[in-house]
Every structure is written in structure tokens, then in C-alpha cells.
Amino acid sequence: SQDDYLSSVACRWELAMPTTIESLDPPLSVTGLRLNFSLFELEEPQVTNPDLGIRSSTTDAVRVLDGNGTILDTFSSTSNANRPTMGEAIALDGPPPFTLRFDTDINNPRPYRGFRAFFLAATKEETLCHAEHFPCTDVEKPECRLFAGEAHGYCTAKSSPPTSALLPASLAATFAVLLLIGGLCCVVQRRRRRRLKGIIEEAEREFARWEPLPEEHRG
């Protein structure tokens, strides 16, 4: 991208990406790519004679090719159908390596800035993601889990709460058993205390009924 791209040029970019995503378990083969344009300003057909409805033509276009040389898609400003939507990921299927080609014709009557695009490998089994340019949009897998040391990863379901916030099942069961045993101990202790208190009270009442021995019967 620049203030005005050159006319009569043919640019090629080899999109560097692996053929297999080794960070996944099991590793998965790359079966396509996704493109996301943040800028797309190519030459548009111009009206050269309004009275006759004559418009100039243009062949300026961005094309994506797969490893077999097959054109997967063509983007241009000749119509709204050929113009990509900014910020919307475009999925393209084909074998790597992929090539992005930008061809311009000799006619460029006014300045156009060109394009800016981001790309990401794709697999059939998993949706790969990038936190900024390729967020996860599936409601069932809305979280982008990054690969270690990378800015990209794969879409997955929301992570469970941290284990520190939850008791493991075994520990929770043990805790419940301890609470139950502790409660039973308290009940038993209370019963023992009530029983002992009853014995003491009965002994005190019995002692109160005793009469002192006469003087002649004391030893």
C-alpha cells in the first residue's frame, strides 16, 4: 500500500506457511487459507462520456493462487461483487503453497492506495485464529487458545474456571465426609454431656434426701 500504486506492474507474494500445523495434537494438514483485508482501494471504472454512458475499463486486480496454480479468487473494484468486505475473513480452499498476485494495467487516471491484507492457514478439522485479525466467531468455540509463544492459535470452547477456584471432586467428597463425621462427633458429645449431667443431678437429689446420723450412731 502507498499513496498511489504503480501502473503496469505485476507483483507476486509467496504466502509463507507450513503444510502441517505441528502445534495441534494430532498435527493437521493445511487445506486452505483465510484472508482479511483492512484496506482495498484499486482503480475503478471511470465515466469518460456521461452523455453516451461510456466508462473506462480496468484490469487492476488481486488474485490468490494455490499450490497447483489454480486461481482461488479474484478481487477488484470493477463491481461490488468483486470487492472484499473490510474486516471480514474470506475462506479459500486449496493445497499450499499459496501465492498472492497483484496486476495493474497501463491506465491509472487518479491515485489509488492499493490494498493491505492479512492471511492465516486453515485446516478442515480445526478453525485457526489470531486474536486481532482472525477472531473466533463460532458461538460454540468463541475462545482463541494461542499456541505457546505465538500470536495465533485455534478456536475452542470457553476455558473452565481456574482449578484454584474449585474443589477437585475427590477433595470435595473428602471435605463432605469430614463435615459429616465432625457433625456426628458433635452430636455424640452433646448426648454424652446431657447423660452425664443427668447422672450428676440425680446424685445431687439423692444426696439431698439423706438425713444425718444421730450422735449415738456416729463412730
Side-chain angles (χ1 to χ4, degrees):
S1 172
Q2 55 187 22
D3 292 338
D4 184 18
Y5 63 79
L6 299 175
S7 59
S8 301
V9 297
C11 301
R12 305 287 185 275
W13 291 272
E14 296 291 336
L15 306 185
M17 66 176 65
T19 57
T20 304
I21 307 299
E22 299 289 347
S23 300
L24 292 170
D25 186 19
L28 298 177
S29 298
V30 172
T31 58
L33 82 160
R34 297 164 72 200
L35 278 179
N36 188 345
F37 287 89
S38 62
L39 170 68
F40 194 87
E41 189 179 292
L42 270 58
E43 181 187 356
E44 301 176 0
Q46 302 296 311
V47 177
T48 57
N49 191 324
D51 295 333
L52 299 178
I54 298 176
R55 295 166 60 89
S56 65
S57 63
T58 177
T59 59
D60 295 3
V62 175
R63 296 177 175 85
V64 182
L65 295 79
D66 66 13
N68 297 325
T70 303
I71 297 177
L72 302 180
D73 211 336
T74 300
F75 307 97
S76 69
S77 294
T78 55
S79 69
N80 289 332
N82 295 331
R83 187 181 291 109
T85 301
M86 299 302 96
E88 183 176 295
I90 302 166
L92 302 173
D93 294 328
F98 301 99
T99 303
L100 191 146
R101 196 173 77 194
F102 180 40
D103 300 295
T104 69
D105 57 28
I106 194 171
N107 180 36
N108 199 7
R110 72 178 183 84
Y112 292 93
R113 291 185 295 168
F115 69 93
R116 184 186 300 111
F118 303 92
F119 67 93
L120 186 68
T123 70
K124 289 183 178 179
E125 296 85 356
E126 295 286 352
T127 300
L128 303 183
C129 56
H130 185 282
E132 182 179 357
H133 303 299
F134 295 94
C136 299
T137 57
D138 189 340
V139 294
E140 294 184 359
K141 294 183 176 181
E143 184 173 294
C144 185
R145 184 170 297 173
L146 302 181
F147 298 132
E150 301 290 347
H152 61 279
Y154 65 99
C155 296
T156 183
K158 286 187 176 180
S159 301
S160 302
T163 53
S164 58
L166 296 174
L167 284 174
S170 58
L171 180 57
T174 304
F175 185 58
V177 170
L178 289 176
L179 282 178
L180 179 60
I181 294 176
L184 288 175
C185 289
C186 291
V187 172
V188 171
Q189 290 292 340
R190 284 197 297 269
R191 288 180 177 175
R192 286 180 177 176
R193 289 196 186 99
R194 285 199 296 268
R195 183 179 177 185
L196 182 59
K197 182 179 180 181
I199 293 174
I200 294 174
E201 291 177 348
E202 179 64 27
E204 289 177 344
R205 286 194 296 271
E206 186 67 25
F207 183 76
R209 288 196 296 268
W210 288 354
E211 294 181 359
L213 291 174
E215 288 286 337
E216 61 271 18
H217 294 290
R218 295 178 183 178

